[in-house]
């Protein structure tokens, strides 16, 4: 009795969600492997799945010749024409083997490991194809365990990795805790697909605002840039495409509800929301908030600017350990050099004195050169040259 493999295939497809073609290929491979093992690879065999009968059929191919040299791979013309009257010398003749059903039963038993392997490969491929297009999305998962400082997160159908370098300092998780993270990378490794999560990526802040602020999700407000020092502070620059919508107010929300939800998700990380403008000087001044700015000198060629602030605003503009100016520079993408008004005045005075000294040196050198040029003429003039010459 031939085993109907359609039921087995349908059940595996239903339970594992694997492509039917993958399982059929695995069965054909298992039958062919069993047949080659039995005949010690002496015959030219092919295995094909018969979907109507639910079995793998085995075919032996031989070459039609006038005189048989290899009985396993050749057949004489007379015998071949009993099977196919139109066959000619040199043709390849395929014949179904009578014991195909036996090999189907063997396949149903011996192909278990092959099918399991194919199922795993198909599952891995399916997971990779599902998540490779989701890079840049937020996902929710459940913490399963720690492995050498890295966090293993269950996303439902797959497990993801939150590496130690992508974890925010002072954030601790326990087993079964829920975690929201940003999909930073999806790659295929020998062990299967690896989904790399991040809690430190600047885009995590952007995606959190996208979920909290409908205006951003609808495209009315855009987050132009974001700079962040995870666990401490972040700055985002926002712009509105609708003159009636305030981008900062939209992100803050009623009584600060929207921004507070993002801050809570980031475990208390402070967020500065800054209106974007194409004027880089104004943008830099806004990025340095809450510090006031006196003057800005812009170097467009080198994408750098020198910013002068009042003396009492210098520490505020620089921030703790330089954090404020560092985040502002990342936000605008330019180099920023901050000086206090007193220091700027000192530098201007030093430059003025240096210029005056250079001018004095040039004047002195010119005067010395003039004296040197006139001296030889006086020395060459003798008493006889002063007397008139008689004709």
């Amino acid at each position: 009795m031939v085993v109907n493999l359609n039921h087995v295939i349908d059940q595996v497809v239903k339970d594992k969600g694997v492509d039917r073609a993958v399982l059929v290929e695995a069965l054909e491979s298992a039958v062919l492997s069993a047949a080659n093992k039995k005949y010690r690879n002496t015959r030219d065999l092919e295995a094909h799945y018969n979907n109507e009968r639910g079995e793998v059929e085995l075919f032996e191919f031989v070459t039609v010749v006038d005189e048989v040299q290899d009985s396993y791979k050749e057949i004489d013309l007379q015998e071949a024409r009993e099977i196919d009257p139109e066959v000619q010398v040199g043709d390849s003749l395929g014949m179904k083997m009578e014991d195909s059903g036996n090999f189907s039963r063997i396949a149903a038993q011996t192909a278990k490991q092959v099918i399991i392997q194919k199922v795993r490969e198909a599952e891995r491929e399916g997971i990779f194809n599902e998540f490779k297009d989701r890079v840049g999305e937020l996902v929710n998962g459940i913490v399963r365990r720690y492995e050498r400082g890295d966090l293993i997160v269950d996303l439902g159908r797959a497990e993801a990795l939150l590496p130690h370098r992508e974890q925010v300092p002072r954030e601790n998780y326990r087993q079964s805790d829920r975690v929201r993270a940003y999909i930073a990378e999806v790659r295929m490794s020998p062990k299967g697909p690896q989904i790399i999560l991040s809690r430190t990526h600047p885009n995590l802040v952007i995606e959190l605002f996208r979920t909290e602020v409908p205006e951003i999700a609808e495209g009315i407000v855009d987050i132009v840039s974001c700079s962040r020092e995870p666990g401490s502070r972040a700055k985002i620059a926002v712009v509105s495409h609708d003159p009636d919508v305030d981008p900062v107010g939209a992100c803050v929300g009623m009584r600060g509800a929207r921004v507070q939800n993002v801050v809570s998700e980031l475990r208390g990380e402070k967020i500065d929301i800054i209106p974007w403008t194409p004027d880089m000087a104004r943008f830099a001044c806004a990025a340095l908030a809450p510090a006031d700015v006196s003057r800005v000198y812009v170097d467009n060629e080198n994408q750098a600017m020198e910013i002068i602030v009042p003396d009492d605003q210098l520490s505020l503009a620089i921030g703790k350990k330089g954090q404020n100016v560092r985040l502002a520079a990342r936000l605008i993408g330019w180099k920023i050099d901050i000086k206090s008004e007193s220091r700027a005045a000192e530098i201007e005075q030093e430059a003025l004195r240096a210029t005056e000294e250079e001018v004095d040196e040039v004047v002195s050198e010119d005067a010395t050169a003039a004296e040197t040029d006139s001296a030889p003429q006086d020395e060459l003039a003798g008493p006889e040259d002063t007397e008139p010459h008689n004709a």
Side-chain angles (χ1 to χ4, degrees), residues 19-139:
D19 189 359
R20 182 184 181 89
V22 173
L23 296 179
V24 169
E25 182 184 350
L27 286 170
E28 291 175 346
S29 177
V31 170
L32 188 60
S33 176
N36 284 328
K37 185 176 181 182
K38 177 179 179 180
Y39 296 117
R40 301 181 181 180
N41 296 313
T42 57
R43 304 187 182 188
D44 185 9
L45 304 175
E46 288 186 11
H48 298 281
Y49 184 75
N50 187 324
N51 194 54
E52 294 181 359
R53 300 184 62 181
E55 67 170 326
V56 180
E57 296 177 339
L58 194 65
F59 294 88
E60 178 183 7
F61 286 84
V62 292
T63 303
V64 180
V65 295
D66 290 325
E67 185 177 352
V68 177
Q69 300 291 335
D70 185 349
S71 60
Y72 291 118
K73 297 183 179 180
E74 295 175 345
I75 186 173
D76 62 40
L77 180 61
Q78 183 178 358
E79 185 179 353
R81 284 185 171 173
E82 292 178 0
I83 302 172
D84 185 357
E86 298 180 358
V87 74
Q88 301 293 329
V89 174
D91 291 347
S92 180
L93 183 64
M95 301 176 292
K96 180 181 176 181
M97 301 185 71
E98 297 299 330
D99 53 354
S100 296
N102 294 330
F103 286 115
S104 292
R105 286 190 291 270
I106 294 173
Q109 299 172 2
T110 62
K112 182 178 179 180
Q113 293 300 322
V114 178
I115 291 176
I116 291 174
Q117 181 181 357
K118 291 289 185 179
V119 167
R120 287 176 179 172
E121 291 176 358
E123 286 179 339
R124 291 172 178 176
E125 190 70 24
I127 292 171
F128 177 75
N129 291 332
E130 176 184 347
F131 283 92
K132 70 177 182 180
D133 297 326
R134 296 181 61 186
V135 174
E137 291 186 10
L138 286 182
V139 290

Side-chain angles (χ1 to χ4, degrees), residues 267-342:
R267 308 290 180 91
E269 185 173 315
K270 297 179 181 178
I271 301 176
D272 297 333
I273 304 173
I274 298 157
W276 179 85
T277 171
D279 186 339
M280 297 306 296
R282 291 180 179 273
F283 187 23
C285 294
L288 287 170
D292 296 326
V293 176
S294 300
R295 300 187 302 278
V296 179
Y297 300 100
V298 179
D299 181 359
N300 289 309
E301 183 177 352
N302 297 315
Q303 291 193 336
M305 57 181 67
E306 182 179 296
I307 297 179
I308 312 301
V309 299
D311 290 9
D312 60 347
Q313 296 286 305
L314 181 61
S315 60
L316 190 61
I318 294 175
K320 185 178 181 181
K321 297 181 180 180
Q323 184 186 72
N324 193 53
V325 66
R326 189 164 55 248
L327 288 174
R330 292 177 189 168
L331 188 71
I332 68 175
W334 284 39
K335 295 179 181 179
I336 295 179
D337 183 18
I338 293 185
K339 292 183 177 66
S340 64
E341 289 184 342
S342 59

